[in-house]
Amino acid sequence: NGTCAEWMNSSPEDMIGRTDTDFFPPETAERVFMTDREVVRTGRTVSLNNHYTFPAGDKHINIIKTPLRSLNGRVIGLLGIARDISDIKRMETELALTRAAEAVSKVARPMAHDFNNALAAINGYATLIDDGLKADSPIKNEIAQIIKAVQRAAELTSKFQAFARNPKIEDGPAKP
C-alpha cells in the first residue's frame, strides 16, 4: 500500500515481488521473517510494538499479523497490518517525563526550603563567630570560607527551588 511504500522510499508498484530483505538490514528482515513463520506455524495472531529503521526513517510500529486460512481452515499465508505509533510513543515519553518532574517537584520544594533554613543557621552562627574574632585570628580565613560556601550553597538551593516550582526536563545536554 501507499503508506508502506512511503516508509520504504518506494512506490507500491516497485514493491511488487520484493521482500523484506530488499528494504531492511539482514537482522531486521530475519526478525520479521521469524515472526511471520511463527504466525503461519501456530495459526495464532500476534500483536507487536517494535522500533524499526525504515529507509524513510525511524518509526515505532504496531504490527498485527494474523493467519490467512483457506475455506477448509488450513493456514495458507498471513495478513499483516502495521500502524505508525511514533507519535503515541513520543507522547508516552513526554507524559512519563512530566509525571517524573511533578514527583520531583513535590519532594524538592519542601526539601529545598528545609535546606535553606539549615544554611541560614550555619551562616548565622559562622557570621557570629567571625564577628567575635580578632582580625589576626588564625581561624578567621576558615570561617570566611564557611560563609562563602554557605552563600554558594544558597545560590544552588535557589536554583533548585526555581526548578521545583517549574520542573521542566529539556532534551539535549545540560548547559553549564
Side-chain angles (χ1 to χ4, degrees):
N1 68 29
T3 300
C4 184
E6 187 179 305
W7 293 349
M8 302 298 185
N9 280 340
S10 188
S11 68
E13 299 78 27
D14 289 339
M15 292 185 72
I16 295 172
R18 297 177 74 189
T19 68
D20 293 322
T21 58
D22 295 318
F23 298 99
F24 290 117
E27 62 277 357
T28 302
E30 178 65 19
R31 185 173 64 172
V32 170
F33 176 74
M34 295 299 281
T35 303
D36 292 351
R37 189 169 70 185
E38 187 67 14
V39 169
V40 171
R41 187 184 69 74
T42 65
R44 290 194 207 126
T45 298
V46 298
S47 177
L48 309 163
N49 290 331
N50 287 325
H51 176 265
Y52 288 100
T53 300
F54 289 94
D58 288 3
K59 296 187 181 305
H60 287 277
I61 304 294
N62 169 256
I63 301 165
I64 298 172
K65 294 185 178 190
T66 193
L68 190 59
R69 299 180 186 273
S70 67
L71 290 176
N72 66 2
R74 196 177 113 242
V75 176
I76 57 172
L78 71 91
L79 172 68
I81 299 171
R83 295 182 314 138
D84 182 354
I85 58 169
S86 299
D87 288 341
I88 293 169
K89 285 293 193 183
R90 183 186 43 75
M91 287 186 283
E92 286 174 348
T93 300
E94 288 174 6
L95 179 59
L97 286 173
T98 299
R99 286 182 176 161
E102 288 172 359
V104 166
S105 177
K106 206 177 254 189
V107 171
R109 290 181 80 177
M111 194 183 310
H113 178 76
D114 290 347
F115 192 69
N116 250 346
N117 288 342
L119 289 173
I122 295 168
N123 189 58
Y125 286 118
T127 302
L128 282 173
I129 292 169
D130 187 55
D131 289 346
L133 293 174
K134 293 182 181 175
D136 62 347
S137 173
I139 64 166
K140 190 113 173 127
N141 187 49
E142 283 76 11
I143 297 298
Q145 291 301 317
I146 291 171
I147 293 170
K148 186 176 174 183
V150 167
Q151 289 169 345
R152 177 69 180 129
E155 290 171 13
L156 293 172
T157 303
S158 177
K159 290 178 183 178
F160 190 57
Q161 283 178 312
F163 170 78
R165 280 191 296 277
N166 188 16
K168 289 191 178 170
I169 298 173
E170 296 181 16
D171 292 338
K175 294 180 175 101

